[in-house]
Amino acid sequence: MNTFLFPVYAVIAGVIIAKLTKNKTTWNTKLLLSFSGAFLLALTLFELLPEVYHELDTKLAGLFIMCGILLQIILELFSKGAEHGHVHVEKDSAAFPWLLFISLCIHSFLEGFPIHQENDMVYGVLVHKIPIAALVSMYLFKSKFSMAKIVIFLVVFTIMTPLGTLISNATDLGERFVHSINAVVIGIFFHISTTILFESGEGHKFNLSKFVAIILGIGIAFLI
């Protein structure tokens, strides 16, 4: 049951963080984002990548991974990078952000596919979604959208990952097809996590706090 509920808990935690920080991005949120990027990347390398390469032809697996990277680049043309912490919502606009909404829902749906009882990817998705949900919530709360639109946005965004997990685990799609989708998701995770990790800090300075957060993310992913 936790495989379905953890992503829901993540969005709830993100909304709470947005409220506690009064809808302002703090250094704590940025550190959490760095930790989540390192944790997701490491868990993808330790858990999901070997699983996919074991089940698929290596060249085919590599092709699907590259397709995932390209897909995420396309999604970011519409989301403007919300999947890795860059949320751009017009504060003075009351128009519903359909492009952001659809791209985030597609991303959330696909990231639910690799989650199953035999791996720990649910923890990677959990940690990844918390800062993203927090940042998305911050910008939604600061926008001119009605509360009904904000609630609909967050509820649908919340259920997309469990829906992906449900379809992957409870329907007969065929193992080869599921592993192919998982390879696409690896590419998505690679793009998002490396973007988070390798984005330059202010003035290209070494950030010790960010570095420690990254090391912790990798270390915890290795130990679980």
Side-chain angles (χ1 to χ4, degrees), residues 187-212:
I188 291 173
F189 286 166
F190 276 176
H191 179 77
I192 291 171
S193 55
T194 52
T195 300
I196 292 171
L197 296 183
F198 300 131
E199 281 182 331
S200 301
E202 295 181 6
H204 299 271
K205 295 178 180 178
F206 176 75
N207 188 321
L208 180 60
S209 298
K210 180 178 178 179
F211 182 73
V212 171

Side-chain angles (χ1 to χ4, degrees), residues 88-105:
H88 303 280
V89 175
E90 295 293 334
K91 296 180 181 179
D92 297 325
S93 175
F96 192 79
W98 284 107
L99 294 180
L100 173 66
F101 176 71
I102 293 171
S103 59
L104 278 178
C105 284

Side-chain angles (χ1 to χ4, degrees), residues 31 39 80 98 183:
L31 286 182
F39 186 76
K80 309 302 181 183
W98 284 107

Side-chain angles (χ1 to χ4, degrees), residues 17 27-37 127 130-131 134 213:
I17 290 172
W27 66 272
N28 289 320
T29 309
K30 293 179 180 178
L31 286 182
L32 180 58
L33 190 63
S34 297
F35 174 84
S36 72
V127 173
I130 291 175

Side-chain angles (χ1 to χ4, degrees), residues 11-33:
V11 177
I12 293 172
V15 173
I16 293 172
I17 290 172
K19 285 297 186 181
L20 291 178
T21 57
K22 297 180 180 179
N23 301 326
K24 294 180 180 179
T25 304
T26 65
W27 66 272
N28 289 320
T29 309
K30 293 179 180 178
L31 286 182
L32 180 58
L33 190 63

